[in-house]
Amino acid sequence: MATIARAIAVLAAAAVSTAATPPAQAQEIDYHRAELLLGWHTSPLLAGGPVVPNWINDTDRFWYRNNTGAGHEFTFVDPVADERRPLFDHYRLAAALSLAADTSYVPEKLPFEEFDFVDDDEERIAFETGARRFTCDIQAYLCEAGDTLPDPEPFVKSPDERWEAFVLDHDLYVRPADGGDTIRLTTDGEEFNGYGLAYPRPNDVRNERTRRPVAHWSPDSRKILVQRMDQRGVEHHHYVSYTPQRTVHYSQPYALPGDSIVPLPAFHILDLTETLSAAERAPGNVRVELAPRPNRLYLNGSQVDSLWSADSRFVYVNWETRASKSNHLAEVDAATGEFRLVAGDSAKTFVEFSQRNPVSWFVSESTDDAFWWSERDGWAHIWRFSKDGTVKNQVTSGPWAVGAIWHVDEAARRIYFTAYGREEGVPYYGRLYSVGYDGSGLRTVAGEVGNHQIAVSPSGRFFVDSWSTIGDPPVSQLRRMGDGAVVRTLEEADVSKLEAVGWRPPEVFTVKARDGFTDIYGLIYFPDNLDGSRLYPVIDHIYPGPQVGSVGSWTFKSGGEDFSLAKLGFVVIQLDHMGTPHRSKAFHDVYYGDFNDNGLPDHVTAIKQLAARYPFMDLERVGIYGHSGGGFASTDAMFKYPDFYKVAVSGAGNHDNASYNIYWAEKYQGLLVADSASGTTNFTDEANKTHVANLKGKLLLMHGDMDDNVHPAMTVQLIDELTKANQDYDLVWAPDRAHGLNEPYFVRRRWDYFVRHLMGAEPPVEYEITRPVS
């Protein structure tokens, strides 16, 4: 990567002319070469990518599906025996499956990505393909085809595998897994206040998606914790599908900033002890009334978080209050519903649970210690609490950020966690560390430069570590948890096939933020065959956050639209600006309550600094694009910096966050506050429609009319104001599309818009981008 940078610098220094580049001719713009770098084409070319282990029967043995660059293979690993081998004979299984399915399959393209072992002896696997279920003996290599798959039943199986829980007509039921009478556990479920399932989103209904109940069995298989979301009285967002002969209406409860009636999450603990022995008796049903009142309740324990104590006596839950002003962890008595607060935080701005996991906490088996991720000292660190809610000690400290707890060794009294910014260099590369309960003995477990993705084995003795940088491909290793020693290297990614289609990595850059002091980081993508005597148009790919930055995951980039745009002749940047996470709390809080900031002051100053570094960047031709929050930010850029940004493509933008969900909008803007004198709120000035008079350049808006995340009304309201202001704009409306607009047609329209209006060339007429056929 350094070689590329030096070459570019030499070209720039040698430039004898910075005259504007004449408009490109259509034949010079090679959409085909650009298309080859889209993710759906490049992902299959990366052989030996990150390993995702599937642990077998709660042991340390696992299998994984590996991309070979010509297909896939299934690999088995036994850490204790230090064994790695093919899980089965791929040729023999392909032959057996071909016979059973009356369809030809080849070994490197078996028609499934995952499977279940049918028996404990691990001799048979079962999987679904072609709307049928197959069972294959991987010792005898015989496959049997089942009938056409029935409608999937969203059962939640008990730990002893004797019972299956499911929802029917808003109530929770269980039934014996091996057949028998169904037992109804609740009787008062109703629409908008059912057990286990909230009201479905429109696209769940349209696509007939099967949803699993939010229900968690206790370890002894005698109790069930089940969520109940009270959405009664919550106002709805409405949607209309216009493509059928007769239009179809959908709606969903959708609370907005300022609403007084919002969803109320709660949970019940159902004690089945008597019910399962005598079906005629009603189960115990304890509704847990938490305080302070939850606005968002998390009942999704991760790898280390545990909803239930080992003895099934206690439930551990965490939640946020409205506008994310505080968060809490509680221990709940499963028999009575009584609870005690164990840990928590509050903030004038907002609180987080973790920067790299949805939640990050751990309660020891003895329940004597609770470890809690907190930014209370200005940085993300681990704090140790007693079960009565008092702080025992701060476990980690310093000007760096803990990402997530991955494992707690209770015998050795050590915590294993990822952290960011502790070492010199890019602060977004996370390493694995361990530390004692009391904060002593901090040491590095996996410290290679890069972002380490961790998967811990059930026993905690081993972990799979897949690490990479932006430009250095993944290396996946099996390591011992105690000291991080490498047991064996599982995969080392091969990028030769990527390079054969013109891939080359972006470069990491560092510039100063708006304050002239703080270092901020991003990626820059260069066109091929740079000519230092030419000027190249610039495209800024933005996602403002604040929950994540524009770069997203700081891991290896094998392809995507930014690579393609660079192939078309643009210099492309992504920037993690101030106001995004994974740094200090103060860094993250920079534009709290000011959505229109969007990190744009940092983007403008960054592009100017980069143009001084690379004189071939044309500051007279700067464009910007983004989706969702990036759609909001890219439109905002055209209104806030109309003399700097000349062209924008904005997809599915939340252009007025007063119309967006309370969980995100109130968290980063605050509770809605009305000013009766002016008739405005603290959200009014943050809405793009308020600033349409400032538009000077070319703006393309895109939105799907069945977007049940960012309602299309936000784009409709924006174009209404643009129309009233007599402003020119362009619009691509996407019938029956949901939030994502990553189909080939919409990708091509984005390219066309930048080629025509930023590059000054004519794109190929109706070029057709295609996805590969599996």
Side-chain angles (χ1 to χ4, degrees), residues 141-461:
Y141 291 96
L142 295 172
C143 292
E144 295 179 357
D147 296 330
T148 302
L149 285 174
D151 292 335
E153 296 288 354
F155 296 124
V156 180
K157 188 166 286 190
S158 62
D160 62 11
E161 299 190 344
R162 293 179 55 205
W163 298 94
E164 297 170 334
F166 63 98
V167 171
L168 179 64
D169 295 333
H170 316 300
D171 279 307
L172 192 73
Y173 294 73
V174 295
R175 71 180 191 184
D178 57 0
D181 293 336
T182 294
I183 303 170
R184 185 174 185 173
L185 300 183
T186 66
T187 59
D188 60 338
E190 60 180 298
E191 188 176 34
F192 304 117
N193 191 25
Y195 287 89
L197 294 173
Y199 193 78
R201 293 170 63 156
N203 287 303
D204 290 335
V205 177
R206 293 178 64 240
N207 297 305
E208 299 181 342
R209 293 180 182 136
T210 298
R211 299 184 299 149
R212 287 173 58 85
V214 181
H216 301 271
W217 288 86
S218 60
D220 64 6
S221 299
R222 312 302 288 180
K223 302 180 184 71
I224 302 178
L225 179 156
V226 59
Q227 179 167 301
R228 196 176 189 193
M229 179 74 78
D230 188 352
Q231 298 171 292
R232 293 172 296 181
V234 177
E235 292 197 43
H236 284 221
H237 259 336
H238 296 267
Y239 310 80
V240 175
S241 173
Y242 292 98
T243 56
Q245 191 70 34
R246 187 177 297 279
T247 58
V248 181
H249 168 259
Y250 302 89
S251 75
Q252 65 173 329
Y254 197 108
L256 302 180
D259 283 359
S260 58
I261 301 176
V262 301
L264 175 60
F267 67 95
H268 294 240
I269 299 172
L270 307 178
D271 190 335
L272 283 64
T273 303
E274 294 180 343
T275 301
L276 298 184
S277 58
E280 70 277 4
R281 299 187 61 175
N285 185 336
V286 175
R287 176 186 168 92
V288 180
E289 300 281 357
L290 295 169
R293 170 178 162 160
N295 186 56
R296 213 168 190 180
L297 180 63
Y298 296 93
L299 299 178
N300 56 343
S302 69
Q303 186 164 354
V304 291
D305 311 324
S306 177
L307 286 169
W308 285 95
S309 63
D311 60 8
S312 301
R313 290 182 56 205
F314 299 107
V315 168
Y316 296 96
V317 296
N318 59 309
W319 70 94
E320 293 173 311
T321 57
R322 191 158 180 184
S324 299
K325 294 300 182 186
S326 65
N327 59 10
H328 306 273
L329 172 67
E331 178 187 79
V332 181
D333 188 310
T336 67
E338 295 178 354
F339 70 92
R340 70 169 75 220
L341 294 178
V342 175
D345 282 302
S346 62
K348 291 182 178 180
T349 55
F350 57 88
V351 294
E352 297 280 14
F353 276 113
S354 170
Q355 290 187 333
R356 291 286 178 176
N357 248 16
V359 291
S360 191
W361 49 267
F362 178 85
V363 178
S364 66
E365 188 170 339
S366 66
T367 72
D368 292 333
D369 294 289
F371 298 102
W372 179 250
W373 185 98
S374 172
E375 293 180 292
R376 60 179 58 195
D377 76 344
W379 293 85
H381 284 296
I382 302 169
W383 292 69
R384 181 184 174 204
F385 287 78
S386 64
K387 67 183 302 180
D388 65 3
T390 60
V391 175
K392 286 187 174 182
N393 60 277
Q394 183 174 357
V395 179
T396 61
S397 62
W400 44 275
V402 169
I405 298 170
W406 288 104
H407 176 65
V408 177
D409 185 335
E410 297 194 59
R413 299 175 66 80
R414 294 195 68 80
I415 307 165
Y416 293 80
F417 62 95
T418 44
Y420 303 84
R422 187 172 180 269
E423 319 297 338
E424 293 294 325
V426 177
Y428 300 102
Y429 290 150
R431 284 85 160 175
L432 184 68
Y433 303 88
S434 74
V435 67
Y437 280 16
D438 61 359
S440 64
L442 177 64
R443 59 175 179 251
T444 304
V445 179
E448 295 85 353
V449 175
N451 220 338
H452 290 254
Q453 299 170 277
I454 307 298
V456 182
S457 72
S459 74
R461 294 176 57 196

Side-chain angles (χ1 to χ4, degrees), residues 94-134:
L97 186 58
S98 296
L99 288 172
D102 194 23
T103 303
S104 295
Y105 294 108
V106 294
E108 62 272 13
K109 294 185 178 179
L110 293 170
F112 58 92
E113 296 183 8
E114 57 187 28
F115 62 84
D116 296 314
F117 282 110
V118 176
D119 305 305
D120 290 340
D121 59 14
E122 300 163 17
E123 293 184 355
R124 294 191 300 154
I125 62 173
F127 53 87
E128 298 172 3
T129 183
R132 300 174 74 186
R133 185 172 178 83
F134 290 84

